[in-house]
Amino acid sequence: MSRIYGDWEGSYKELPRWFNAVQWYLPGTVVRYGASNHDNIDTYILDRVFWSFKPCIDGFGFCKPILQVDGTFLTGKYNGTLLIASSQDGNRRIFPIAFAIVEGETKEAWEWFFFNIRSFVTQQANICIISDRGTGLLGALRTELPQWCNAHSVFCIRHVASNFNKEFRDTELKEKVIEMGMY
């Protein structure tokens, strides 16, 4: 595997170069880093990275005014969480908007993610945010982030149904909950 894809350290070191190449070949693509100084003055550790491709930024203006946000754990040598913001186009298809790799689904990480979306992707008011009810995410939305004070927040029906199923262990009822939420 390492001969084909490289090892962890090499891939990690290539990340800034890859982002620079994306920005070079796709002008208008936004990449923002959060890094901290290591013991050695010349060594930095990548704490966070946010990116949004220029076609995604431009395309969001033609999507419904919603952001579906979620995070997923990264596994392997370097742990963290991949945050994703997507929307829906006019045909109800998923349209990716922005991505970030952060330390976890913490309130601070979500605040940083939302700050970057508002700063570099959209200043549009009255956006509905669909989420999974995560405490870090809800905490970020409930803070006094002036950029998001007029955003509406709702819960993803699939996450609600999944939590419902964990409690009642009835897949038929779970499907009914999804149906109720869709119509």
Side-chain angles (χ1 to χ4, degrees):
M1 291 294 280
S2 65
R3 277 189 274 151
I4 295 171
Y5 299 107
D7 60 6
W8 287 100
E9 288 80 13
S11 295
Y12 185 82
K13 287 178 184 173
E14 286 294 315
L15 196 57
R17 193 176 117 179
W18 182 84
F19 278 123
N20 288 337
V22 169
Q23 287 180 292
W24 174 261
Y25 289 104
L26 203 57
T29 293
V30 174
V31 178
R32 293 292 175 260
Y33 298 97
S36 58
N37 201 339
H38 194 47
D39 298 332
N40 184 341
I41 291 176
D42 297 331
T43 304
Y44 286 90
I45 295 175
L46 180 67
D47 295 321
R48 304 171 169 172
V49 62
F50 168 92
W51 71 97
S52 183
F53 301 109
K54 179 63 171 163
C56 297
I57 295 169
D58 293 343
F60 182 61
F62 301 97
C63 290
K64 297 174 184 177
I66 61 171
L67 280 179
Q68 298 163 306
V69 294
D70 203 359
T72 186
F73 299 107
L74 300 175
T75 58
K77 181 171 183 174
Y78 300 108
N79 296 321
T81 301
L82 173 66
L83 302 180
I84 301 169
S86 60
S87 191
Q88 281 186 358
D89 65 14
N91 293 322
R92 297 188 70 187
R93 297 224 164 81
I94 296 171
F95 189 86
I97 304 296
F99 310 87
I101 297 174
V102 296
E103 65 279 5
E105 287 194 67
T106 64
K107 177 180 173 255
E108 293 76 20
W110 279 112
E111 285 176 343
W112 185 76
F113 186 61
F114 285 126
F115 171 80
N116 282 304
I117 289 173
R118 186 59 87 197
S119 298
F120 303 107
V121 178
T122 183
Q123 287 76 42
Q124 180 179 345
N126 298 318
I127 293 177
C128 179
I129 298 172
I130 301 172
S131 69
D132 67 352
R133 300 176 13 174
T135 55
L137 189 147
L138 292 177
L141 288 175
R142 290 181 180 143
T143 61
E144 296 301 316
L145 286 174
Q147 309 95 333
W148 293 99
C149 63
N150 59 357
H152 305 283
S153 179
V154 297
F155 300 131
C156 171
I157 191 63
R158 297 227 178 257
H159 283 94
V160 170
S162 180
N163 291 340
F164 179 89
N165 194 47
K166 283 179 190 173
E167 181 71 26
F168 297 105
R169 303 209 186 280
D170 187 329
T171 54
E172 284 184 39
L173 283 178
K174 176 186 172 187
E175 293 304 316
K176 297 275 186 209
V177 168
I178 292 173
E179 277 182 46
M180 288 187 304
M182 297 291 197
Y183 301 105

